[in-house]
Amino acid sequence: MDENLMDAICREFGLEAKDANSYSPLTLAYIGDGIFELVIRTVMISRHDTSTNRLHKKASRIVNAGFQAKLADKLKPHLTNEEKDIFRRGRNAKSHSIAKNATVHDYRIATGFEALMGYLYVSGKTDRLIELVRIGLEEEVEK
């Protein structure tokens, strides 16, 4: 079995892997935002042979607070108790910023979603992360 991306990065850069629970919810959201975008970009380049400008526009419809809030609502019934707890911690974290073009409500929900993505990535649960994104996106990526 291939090693997951987080483990490979830690190994190559001589970093010590930390327990996912040791990161703050906002730190998990920070890395989760990037990982979610990487998953979406990977799906986009695999499904759409088009210009980078068009790829960016398609990805931008998905990688934003409003869409992520809708995705989180769709995923709630599929989350384990542990995942619900991580989501709640991220949602309730006190951030000193807000995304442009997003309501406070959507931004907080999106932060919870990103924290969950970050937690799954840092925990090495890449298969679960991808499964949840797939469930959330079922018909959206084709548009």
Side-chain angles (χ1 to χ4, degrees), residues 18-31 89-90 93 115 119:
K18 292 169 48 178
D19 183 273
N21 291 310
S22 69
Y23 292 100
S24 76
L26 293 177
T27 299
L28 292 173
Y30 172 75
I31 193 69
R89 287 178 45 219
Y119 177 82

Side-chain angles (χ1 to χ4, degrees), residues 33-34 52 64 66 69 76 79 90-91 94 96 111 113 115 124 130 134 142:
D33 178 49
T52 53
N64 66 69
K76 282 180 186 174
L79 300 180
R91 181 196 65 209
K94 301 296 181 215
H96 298 290
T111 302
F113 171 78
I130 293 168
R134 183 191 51 75
E142 290 299 323

Side-chain angles (χ1 to χ4, degrees), residues 9-128:
I9 291 169
C10 287
R11 181 179 40 77
E12 286 299 319
F13 285 88
L15 305 171
E16 187 176 321
K18 292 169 48 178
D19 183 273
N21 291 310
S22 69
Y23 292 100
S24 76
L26 293 177
T27 299
L28 292 173
Y30 172 75
I31 193 69
D33 178 49
I35 290 301
F36 178 65
E37 184 157 3
L38 178 62
V39 171
I40 296 306
R41 286 181 178 211
T42 301
V43 172
M44 291 296 167
I45 68 164
S46 298
R47 291 191 174 170
H48 305 286
D49 185 17
T50 188
S51 71
T52 53
N53 184 46
R54 290 192 62 172
L55 288 168
H56 175 72
K57 286 179 181 176
K58 286 178 177 287
S60 294
R61 285 185 323 122
I62 295 170
V63 183
N64 66 69
F67 189 86
Q68 288 173 342
K70 290 177 188 167
L71 233 169
D73 284 339
K74 189 174 180 183
L75 290 178
K76 282 180 186 174
H78 302 278
L79 300 180
T80 66
N81 287 336
E82 176 188 33
E83 292 166 347
K84 287 176 184 174
D85 185 54
I86 298 299
F87 171 81
R88 181 187 48 74
R89 287 178 45 219
R91 181 196 65 209
N92 293 340
K94 301 296 181 215
S95 175
H96 298 290
S97 63
I98 185 162
K100 57 185 175 193
N101 304 319
T103 66
V104 172
H105 174 75
D106 283 354
Y107 184 70
R108 291 176 66 107
I109 300 295
T111 302
F113 171 78
E114 291 170 347
L116 175 58
M117 295 292 103
Y119 177 82
L120 293 171
Y121 168 71
V122 171
S123 297
K125 298 177 181 177
T126 310
D127 289 343
R128 179 63 175 158

